[in-house]
Amino acid sequence: MMNETSKTKKVGNDLVQKIEQLRSQLVEAAQTKEFTNDSIVALSQQLDHYIVLAQYQMIGRS
């Protein structure tokens, strides 16, 4: 039987860096702006996109 780590693939380092970059930008921007601000929403949507890509990589779908 396969354990959980052998069933998932590793997420690419570039993608992890992009996610961390966007996460940091979002946290910083949210300190001074409302969550409904257009720039906050746009950053959040970008972050969501890259998180989904990472999840696809983890399950082997690119």
Side-chain angles (χ1 to χ4, degrees):
M1 187 170 181
M2 296 175 91
N3 65 29
E4 200 60 31
T5 56
S6 64
K7 288 195 289 187
T8 59
K9 295 184 181 186
K10 207 167 186 181
V11 176
N13 195 40
D14 290 343
L15 186 53
V16 170
Q17 287 178 347
K18 183 67 173 178
I19 289 169
E20 285 302 314
Q21 173 195 10
L22 287 170
R23 185 192 63 77
S24 294
Q25 288 176 354
L26 183 58
V27 168
E28 186 176 322
Q31 301 286 328
T32 59
K33 298 177 184 169
E34 297 287 328
F35 291 162
T36 55
N37 181 283
D38 288 344
S39 63
I40 299 290
V41 172
L43 276 171
S44 180
Q45 289 174 338
Q46 285 181 338
L47 180 57
D48 289 347
H49 171 77
Y50 285 105
I51 289 171
V52 169
L53 289 178
Q55 291 172 333
Y56 279 149
Q57 279 189 10
M58 287 173 28
I59 63 172
R61 295 171 56 193
S62 295

